Amino acid sequence: MAAMIRLFRSSSSSSSNSISLISRSLSTAAASETVKSQSYPHNPHSTSVDPKAKTVQWVFLGCPGVGKGTYASRLSTLLGVPHIATGDLVRDELKSSGPLSKQLAEIVNQGKLVSDEIILNLLSKRLESGEAKGEAGFILDGFPRTVRQAEILTEVTDIDLVVNLKLPERVLIEKCLGRRICSECGKNFNVASIDVAGENGAPRISMAPLNPPSQCVSKLITRADDTEAIVKERLSIYWDKSQPVEDFYRSQGKLLEFDLPGGIPESWPKLLEVLNLDEQEYKLSAAA
């Protein structure tokens, strides 16, 4: 069941543009089989995945710095479906000579938020392109961010599962303050060594630094917005907007809340476990 979405701007001369949503008739049978209730020690109200489901149409939610892009990318590789990050779509369009590039450049240069209409337009084109290439499914990263976006997405395609990655605020702040980028190769690293006591009886959270190789050490730079004040502000804004989105998907029985127990070595196996996925099985299947 591949999603086919078309989003067209209205030709109306009114100041507020509208979006016409036309979707192919989608089978809901696979989606209804994909998500099933399952208890998990740290997520008593979470859901899990039926590994026999034929499609993957997932959304990854999580605060800035939680690592949703990292885990979405790993699952994308494992399951053979594209990892679609809306931030990447915007950056790719800015680099292109496409019809939206000039408009986007003006918005970004003025420090404004990119509108729902533009994001949906870019996402629509990406999903259509993927379907034309035979892609079966997707993992969305960074979208939807508002209930309005979630409602529009629900109208045009079936979302099987929404994975909400969680970390305590003080861990998120340390992670963000430890982020570094190599100015030469562009790779991301993290110099923070995190060891934080768990809250409400939860186990400690430990994350080893992701140190750069020797050739990158002298070329590391910090993002201008990775200051404690800005990070806290970003987290506050995110939590205000994300709660209604979480409630939206929770009411549909599609929300899986996953408390990351540590870094990738600790969290990846646990995430596969709660998703009911066998990494070796998928690797063998892909190699066959």
Side-chain angles (χ1 to χ4, degrees):
M1 177 184 62
M4 180 65 171
I5 305 173
R6 287 188 173 87
L7 300 150
F8 297 100
R9 288 188 178 182
S10 170
S11 58
S12 170
S13 59
S14 64
S15 59
S16 60
N17 293 326
S18 62
I19 302 174
S20 175
L21 305 169
I22 305 175
S23 64
R24 175 187 295 179
S25 177
L26 300 172
S27 168
T28 58
S32 65
E33 293 175 358
T34 300
V35 181
K36 63 180 181 179
S37 297
Q38 174 173 303
S39 176
Y40 185 66
H42 302 300
N43 302 281
H45 305 295
S46 68
T47 57
S48 185
V49 175
D50 179 358
K52 297 182 178 64
K54 295 181 179 179
T55 61
V56 170
Q57 297 187 176
W58 296 355
V59 167
F60 263 65
L61 301 178
C63 293
V66 77
K68 56 184 177 294
T70 298
Y71 293 101
S73 179
R74 281 181 164 238
L75 284 167
S76 165
T77 301
L78 180 65
L79 300 174
V81 297
H83 167 213
I84 303 175
T86 51
D88 291 341
L89 295 181
V90 170
R91 284 185 285 272
D92 289 345
E93 185 68 24
L94 282 169
K95 295 175 184 176
S96 74
S97 56
L100 289 175
S101 58
K102 184 177 180 181
Q103 184 181 359
L104 271 174
E106 292 176 355
I107 291 171
V108 172
N109 290 338
Q110 294 172 11
K112 296 181 179 179
L113 293 175
V114 180
S115 68
D116 287 352
E117 181 181 357
I118 291 177
I119 293 295
L120 288 164
N121 193 324
L122 294 175
L123 180 59
S124 168
K125 290 195 298 182
R126 174 61 184 85
L127 293 178
E128 287 182 352
S129 172
E131 184 168 25
K133 292 185 291 186
E135 293 175 352
F138 52 80
I139 298 178
L140 295 182
D141 169 6
F143 185 91
R145 294 184 177 181
T146 65
V147 171
R148 177 176 179 269
Q149 291 177 350
E151 289 171 342
I152 293 172
L153 189 61
T154 297
E155 288 180 24
V156 296
T157 190
D158 293 315
I159 295 301
D160 305 327
L161 181 71
V162 179
V163 181
N164 186 29
L165 300 181
K166 303 172 75 175
L167 278 172
E169 180 180 7
R170 59 187 183 279
V171 175
L172 288 165
I173 292 172
E174 284 193 45
K175 277 194 69 181
C176 289
L177 296 183
R179 292 193 293 199
R180 300 291 186 274
I181 304 169
C182 177
S183 59
E184 187 170 288
C185 71
K187 290 184 178 179
N188 293 288
F189 305 99
N190 199 304
V191 299
S193 181
I194 298 172
D195 184 21
V196 175
E199 298 176 342
N200 301 319
R204 298 185 72 84
I205 297 176
S206 298
M207 296 184 182
L210 179 59
N211 289 317
S214 57
Q215 65 268 26
C216 295
V217 171
S218 64
K219 304 176 183 68
L220 295 183
I221 58 175
T222 304
R223 284 173 38 168
D225 58 347
D226 275 348
T227 66
E228 185 167 353
I230 294 178
V231 169
K232 286 183 176 180
E233 178 66 16
R234 285 206 308 260
L235 291 175
S236 176
I237 293 172
Y238 176 82
W239 283 321
D240 286 344
K241 291 185 176 181
S242 70
Q243 190 61 55
V245 178
E246 293 171 17
D247 291 342
F248 178 85
Y249 286 115
R250 185 180 292 108
S251 68
Q252 298 177 22
K254 296 182 178 182
L255 186 70
L256 185 156
E257 296 185 284
F258 183 74
D259 294 298
L260 293 164
I264 294 173
E266 299 83 14
S267 299
W268 177 241
K270 292 292 186 182
L271 181 59
L272 292 178
E273 179 185 343
V274 75
L275 290 172
N276 204 16
L277 298 174
D278 186 318
E279 186 169 17
Q280 292 305 315
E281 179 182 335
Y282 273 90
K283 286 182 177 179
L284 289 172
S285 176

